[in-house]
Amino acid sequence: MSAGKPVISLTDITKSYQMGDVHFPVLHGITFTVDAGEFVSVLGPSGSGKSTLMNIIGCLDVPDSGTYMLGRRTVKGLPERTMARIRNRDIGFVFQSFQLLPRISAIENVMLPLIYAKVPRAQRYARAMAELERVGLADKANNLPRQLSGGQQQRVAIARALVTRPRILLADEPTGALDRATGAQIMDIFQSLNKEGITVVMITHDQKVASFASRIVYILDGKLYSKEEYAALELSGEG
Ligand code: ADP
Ligand code: MG
């Protein structure tokens, strides 16, 4: 996909959670476009709907209404196996808590998505090792997650996210469990991946982390604002 074309396009997306009889609206008409090759962060406080939005973008959940286009495909009413395939091949995920399987080594964690993608066994090791090299962890390939620091675990998770060569990397508070210096190293990796052409969407509550992106959008109470809109909101005293 060439740079500048929308890869993610949300129009009027709404989402509520149902808890018993209580209908709890979380996203109130989100319109958001990300172009190929962008590095965008979505910045907002806890509870503003960031993870709900990320789950929709990542095809982990579906909106109540609105339109979601991923590339040229409308994400609506797709069978679960198609959603799973999108999650496996088109989007790489990075989470605050790394989400590595604890009982298998770093390289086995990185190889897992290739098993789901039905990549032949003979290619899995080399591809996973290449991703570990890219994040500077080839020498830790056989370590278990608990034998790695937090920053190293997150780098393994990034390698796992990229091993199927997705064009989009989605990250939900990727530095939330890391100290600031280690978090900055993770942001360096994101910036270099973005330079290689991967579209990065990162969700965070941390202004400093958000500023590593080339564009910031703001989320407040389930509504998205551009920088200018958000500044106007703060001036008007509503922010
Ligand atoms: P953020 O990631 O910005 O902290 P979330 O998207 O996780 O925000 O949550 C937004 C709101 O939706 C919160 O008030 C949260 O309690 C609520 N919420 C999130 N997930 C669920 C769920 N599965 N069921 C009910 N309420 C939820
Ligand atoms: Mg969250």
Side-chain angles (χ1 to χ4, degrees), residues 8-17 24-33 48-59 61-70 73-77 83 219-224:
I8 291 166
S9 184
L10 308 180
T11 310
D12 277 334
I13 293 287
T14 69
K15 179 73 183 177
S16 303
Y17 291 111
F24 186 77
V26 174
L27 299 180
H28 305 271
I30 298 263
T31 296
F32 179 40
T33 301
S48 56
K50 301 186 296 298
S51 294
T52 302
L53 177 62
M54 156 136 171
N55 291 345
I56 290 171
I57 294 173
C59 297
D61 203 352
V62 290
D64 297 337
S65 67
T67 312
Y68 176 22
M69 302 274 294
L70 182 62
R73 191 205 308 249
T74 303
V75 181
K76 189 170 196 173
M83 297 282 268
I219 186 167
L220 208 60
D221 293 334
K223 289 190 203 122
L224 220 58

Side-chain angles (χ1 to χ4, degrees), residues 75-136:
V75 181
K76 189 170 196 173
L78 297 176
E80 176 48 33
R81 83 190 127 74
T82 308
M83 297 282 268
R85 196 187 148 94
I86 291 171
R87 292 193 297 268
N88 181 240
R89 316 249 172 126
D90 299 339
I91 301 171
F93 293 91
V94 176
F95 300 97
Q96 174 171 354
S97 54
F98 323 132
Q99 310 265 29
L100 300 176
L101 294 187
R103 289 173 210 285
I104 60 175
S105 67
I107 190 150
E108 287 169 325
N109 269 281
V110 178
M111 286 192 290
L112 268 186
L114 297 178
I115 297 174
Y116 300 129
K118 299 191 170 61
V119 171
R121 182 183 292 269
Q123 295 173 26
R124 285 180 216 150
Y125 184 88
R127 278 182 56 178
M129 193 51 105
E131 293 305 327
L132 282 176
E133 269 164 26
R134 172 141 88 158
V135 297

Side-chain angles (χ1 to χ4, degrees), residues 217-237:
V217 297
Y218 297 80
I219 186 167
L220 208 60
D221 293 334
K223 289 190 203 122
L224 220 58
Y225 301 92
S226 68
K227 189 176 180 172
E228 294 74 22
E229 288 167 340
Y230 188 75
L233 201 69
E234 284 199 316
L235 282 176
S236 75

